[in-house]
Amino acid sequence: MAASSSLALSHQSFLSHSLSNPKSHPTTPTSSLFLPTSSVKHLLKSCTARRRRVGSRATVVRAAAAETLEKTDTELMEKSVNTIRFLAIDAVEKANSGHPGLPMGCAPMGHILYDEVMRYNPKNPRWFNRDRFILSAGHGCMLQYALLHLAGYDSIQICTSSPLVATCLSHVKLEFMQQEEDLRSFRQWGSKTPGHPENFETPGVEVTTGPLGQGVANAVGLALAEKHLAARFNKPDAEIIDHYTYVILGDGCQMEGISNEACSLAGHWGLGKLIALYDDNHISIDGDTAIAFTENVDMRFEALGWHVIWVKNGNTGYDEIRAAIKEAQAVKDKPTLIKVTTTIGFGSPNKANTYSVHGSALGAKEVQATRQNLGWPYEPFHVPEDVKKHWSRHIAEGASLEAAWNAKFAEYEKKYPAEAAELKSIITGELPAGWEKALPTYTPESPADATRNLSQQCLNALVKVLPGLLGGSADLASSNMTLLKMYGDFQKDTPEERNLRFGVREHGMGAICNGIALHSPGFIPYCATFFVFTDYMRAAMRISALSQAGVIYVMTHDSIGLGEDGPTHQPIEHLASFRAMPNILMLRPADGNETAGAYKVAVQHRKTPSVLALSRQKLPQLPGTSIEGVERGGYIISDNSSGNKPDFILIGTGSELEIAARAADQLRKEGKAVRVVSLVCWELFDEQSAEYKESVLPAAVTARVSIEAGSTFGWERMVGPKGKAIGIDKFGASAPAGRIYKEYGITPEAVIEAAKSIS
């Protein structure tokens, strides 16, 4: 680990703040952002002897560390690198499942990053000013698990007999529960070593990777977040934000279009603290990449605005790798791609440099042959004592780095209390008191407006009170209405601004926002496009849901109501598809109050992304809608019945809630008792108590009609076997919105007819 006194955050008043809500996310790690000060002091005190042996490295500034990356002697280096290789080989072999080739080839660069370059605290994986590492080629996750284990992370740690480490750990009362078993239980139920890196399972893993290209795009978001925060909060006399984002990506990541989208933006934005190491091994699942991938990656990245370095010997060229990283750190105005040419499965005498080592266990005979070839006489999962001793220093160094940063931030807070308060909010995720009061409210007398316009009013109100809110659109800001009017554009030379211009890059946009959200819990990124174009970014949205990244997806032009652009732009199946996706909120507000309610819900749910489907056409401000109602997902906006026994229940969402309300008015004139329900968010409604749901949709009332300008798929859950769902189960058409609604039967008359047919 490169040591430094250039520091990173924590403070007495929020040392114990927890990022997780164990009630709503019981499987999420609940470790706090910061180790208690007393624990850090105990750890430092008990490790004094070791720190003296380490020498002055613990107080060298980052600039000096960049000048002289710490070098391990060659023999120990080889042993450490082979330890990484064989932990991966043994875990994959025991599981009879996994990808040993990448860890075997990338072990040298992984060792240099975690042992010599990166700054982190193994005993507090969420320390704010840590360097971030992303394994974009997530299938090679045993590389990262081995590195986390060697570095001393409790999530993947084999118990050590080292007196120093035992003493340090006893002081902070850490327990070794199933730690060795985690390495031995790779890809098994309940272990901390799943088949691809998962940030919600394994402390020390920053983002969830596996779908190729997503990780490097996340890394762009992480690097953007660092550059933005540094521009906003660093002072001439106090540089408190200073960390790098390192990535290892492979040929598959390079082939996926998302990586080009995101890396294009990284070059445009000049993200100088983003350093990507490209595992150039020329092998993919189908064989040599020459069958499908022959472009000049170096020239492409140079054209994207990156600094490019080629390490020709990534297998044993340790000094080449060190020199490349040193050069990359010296480049401040652009990201760097280090192409590291490696041999996949390095050390395997019969399978190295073949596709067979990519995604399958080596097999017992080849494992033995590899042990003999690399001179590895140890039993499976063995870590030699000198390797343990060498790596054990990271515990003391990490505690020292965090303690020094804590002290520096304390001084910063005295000089700049307002800025410190904003930064704390971003780091801890603790929202400013009363932030929700900034949301606008509306009455039926307020003018009709498209919910996309009402959304912009909410965004511009919230940005004044939420320090972590920032975002933008995929070249549609003037149509999605997402511009923050009091801020300029985040650009290479204006990174303190909060409007993000993504260009026509929906997939990259979503993944970059995931990285921003996962950088610090108080970041609230939003991104926008037409609802139909979620098809371009669905993979990133799914990763949002899986990795608990609370991105707000502002999706306008939400139905056939967009009119003349026609079926290519008119979403049909999209509402149903997101309702089917786990851990994502699909919100379709009907007017101003519901739009404000949707934003309140989205901001509050920091571990669940939200999709807001918003109209292009103007809608009236309806009586009975409320922010509080949206928080329940479904609620009654009007009802002339008594005893919870209406004749009909009419259910609508978004622009069709008005249609349901108009149909109810006509039925009431005919003497019927009619309840109108807004079902703005099914997921929130499902979370309500049985009593509440019965009060809104009583089981005894089977005469129910729903209306929504989208697929009827799933509505049988709400209307029941005797009810009717009015919707659209075919593609739209090009015509003015009013004509399309009439032709497709999305009208009050259709609702009335359906209700009468089931009465």
Side-chain angles (χ1 to χ4, degrees), residues 299-344:
M299 292 180 67
R300 175 161 62 91
F301 270 76
E302 287 174 354
L304 293 176
W306 286 57
H307 180 65
V308 179
I309 307 168
W310 183 16
V311 173
K312 296 181 180 179
N313 177 12
N315 299 323
T316 59
Y318 308 134
D319 286 340
E320 289 182 62
I321 296 171
R322 292 184 181 106
I325 294 172
K326 176 183 174 182
E327 180 181 334
Q329 290 174 331
V331 177
K332 306 297 184 183
D333 63 340
K334 58 179 66 176
T336 296
L337 179 78
I338 305 174
K339 184 174 79 170
V340 185
T341 298
T342 66
T343 300
I344 190 171

Side-chain angles (χ1 to χ4, degrees), residues 70-85:
E70 176 195 346
K71 291 177 63 175
T72 309
D73 71 75
T74 303
E75 182 179 353
L76 182 57
M77 177 80 177
E78 291 283 358
K79 186 179 284 189
S80 180
V81 167
N82 282 334
T83 300
I84 296 165
R85 288 183 174 125

Side-chain angles (χ1 to χ4, degrees), residues 512-563:
I512 288 169
C513 284
N514 285 341
I516 297 170
L518 294 172
H519 181 280
S520 296
F523 266 127
I524 307 172
Y526 67 89
C527 60
T529 186
F530 291 173
F531 192 28
V532 75
F533 296 143
T534 55
D535 290 344
Y536 281 127
M537 60 193 297
R538 183 173 300 273
M541 298 175 77
R542 188 177 189 274
I543 292 294
S544 294
L546 178 61
S547 61
Q548 302 173 2
V551 177
I552 302 175
Y553 292 95
V554 181
M555 301 292 114
T556 68
H557 298 61
D558 71 336
S559 73
I560 58 171
L562 66 88

